Amino acid sequence: MERKDDAPVLGIESSCDETAAAVLAPDGRILAEVVLSQTADHAAFGGVVPEIAARAHLTALDAMVRQVLHQAEVGFSGLAAIAATAGPGLIGGLLVGTGYAKGAALAAGVPYLAINHLEAHALIARLPSIGSVKFPYLLLLLSGGHSQCLAVEGVGHYRLLGATLDDAVGEAFDKTAKLLGLPYPGGPALEALARDGNEKAVPLPRPLLRRAGCDFSFSGLKTAIAQLLIAEPAGPLPRARAADIAASFQACVADILGDRLSHALAMLPNASAVILAGGVASNQAIRARLAEVAGREGKRLIAPPPRLCTDNAVMVAWAGIERLRQGNTSTLNAPCHPRWPLEAL
Ligand code: KG4
Ligand code: ZN
């Protein structure tokens, strides 16, 4: 199959509850991008329902792809490749996105690229508009599904320095928010409430603090908050008290992440920068703490704009471009992987 090196790449993301499509020029310019969040479809259930997610991807994807191709003024056969997230994630959504990408690639005679979602989060920092960050760098992936600290040493070369032993950090925010009666997804609502609270009001456990390595643990924190609430006087929780608990929880997470980051920096002393990714990276208190820790070690902290930190297709297309530059493409029988650790790449 002849490769068109100056042609754009289409990216498709459908691994969780965002359907997204984007077209990028090979130099990383974003020619078109669209993201459709399914938050409203899942809100009533307090979390992502896999079957609802898969059906919603199926309903939305074709029109979204046609929209970005139209905006980028390119047809399927004018693409250099079609990249789709093939894992890790919910199998129904992965099958929708990769099935679509493979069918279009076969029909248009262009290469298909099966992209690892975590690799896409990891490589977005190299997009020229974010800063063309040089290898090696540290990545803190802080989302609803993943909490990981990675050494990004090259395309396809990732070293896991630490990960959550239980809940992901976004999950801890969502569960705590739920206990406080806030709507799903709870992270942004909890951050807003915490602004009115005193972060020293409630003592909370700081699991693994100062322990070697950079694994995280958040489930004890959630349990501590649940027990605290059981001990509260009967009746509705006063807003001021809820704000104090939210602020104390957030400060505790910031302490844990700050401590883990300082350990990670010691494990990768030649890191060119520290990159944040995932929904929790948009939390201002956490961002500020991590910037302070990185700054103390003389490192720059880069948090891509929230739309590129959270799930999106720009990162999938960009990972596709990085893979293509290495002469890498996937076969049409490449499988989806609900679990797909980066070290397995
Ligand atoms: O990366 P993301 O959009 O989706 C995946 O999980 O893949 O992350 C969503 C998570 C949710 O748990 C949400 O509550 C959390 O990120 N989140 C936040 C904030 N914004 C989103 N957590 C704390 N503070 C925020 N401002
Ligand atoms: Zn993600």
Side-chain angles (χ1 to χ4, degrees), residues 4 34 72 89 92 124 127 131 145 190 218 227 245 257 287 296 316 335:
K4 312 172 196 78
V34 56
I124 190 71
L127 195 71
L190 193 148
F218 298 106
Q227 282 168 348
I245 296 173
L257 293 176
R287 235 181 228 230
R296 266 206 308 266
V316 178

Side-chain angles (χ1 to χ4, degrees), residues 18 143-145 170-171 173-174 185-188 191 278-280 282-283 309-311:
E18 265 94 24
S143 76
E171 204 179 344
F173 266 93
D174 292 340
E191 181 178 16
V280 182
S282 49
N283 182 291
C309 265
T310 56
D311 289 351

Side-chain angles (χ1 to χ4, degrees), residues 71 83 85 96 105 122 128 140 146 160 198 225 258 268 278 302:
Q71 203 178 325
T85 300
V96 171
L140 274 181
H146 306 280
L160 186 67
N198 170 7
I225 301 237
L268 192 70
I302 300 175

Side-chain angles (χ1 to χ4, degrees), residues 216-234:
F216 317 92
S217 168
F218 298 106
S219 75
L221 188 53
K222 175 195 62 191
T223 308
I225 301 237
Q227 282 168 348
L228 189 86
L229 290 172
I230 290 168
E232 289 289 307

Side-chain angles (χ1 to χ4, degrees), residues 63-276:
M64 289 174 74
V65 168
R66 287 177 195 281
Q67 181 188 334
V68 290
L69 291 179
H70 177 76
Q71 203 178 325
E73 297 179 359
V74 63
F76 283 113
S77 53
L79 293 167
I82 301 178
T85 300
L90 301 172
I91 190 66
L94 296 173
L95 288 170
V96 171
T98 56
Y100 186 99
K102 288 176 181 181
L106 179 65
V110 302
Y112 163 66
L113 288 157
I115 299 297
N116 179 298
H117 180 88
L118 303 174
E119 174 170 66
H121 273 303
L123 294 179
I124 190 71
R126 290 173 43 78
L127 195 71
S129 62
I130 291 180
S132 305
V133 178
K134 301 272 179 289
F135 298 123
Y137 54 88
L138 257 182
L139 175 80
L140 274 181
L141 179 56
L142 306 171
S143 76
H146 306 280
S147 291
Q148 298 191 341
C149 183
L150 288 164
V152 183
E153 294 174 324
V155 177
H157 297 281
Y158 311 99
R159 203 152 42 90
L160 186 67
L161 301 180
T164 184
L165 300 176
D166 36 60
D167 291 348
V169 60
E171 204 179 344
F173 266 93
D174 292 340
K175 287 178 177 171
T176 301
K178 194 171 178 183
L179 290 171
L180 293 174
L182 300 171
Y184 172 86
L190 193 148
E191 181 178 16
L193 181 62
R195 275 188 212 114
D196 299 332
N198 170 7
E199 64 176 42
K200 297 202 169 21
V202 182
L204 289 169
R206 277 144 170 81
L208 305 186
L209 209 63
R210 283 185 278 283
R211 249 221 350 226
C214 53
D215 284 337
F216 317 92
S217 168
F218 298 106
S219 75
L221 188 53
K222 175 195 62 191
T223 308
I225 301 237
Q227 282 168 348
L228 189 86
L229 290 172
I230 290 168
E232 289 289 307
L237 188 67
R239 191 180 181 281
R241 178 71 176 152
D244 281 351
I245 296 173
S248 303
F249 165 82
Q250 189 173 267
C252 183
V253 174
D255 279 354
I256 295 170
L257 293 176
D259 180 72
R260 304 291 87 188
L261 173 59
S262 65
H263 284 220
L265 283 167
M267 291 163 86
L268 192 70
N270 60 339
S272 70
V274 177
I275 315 298
L276 298 187

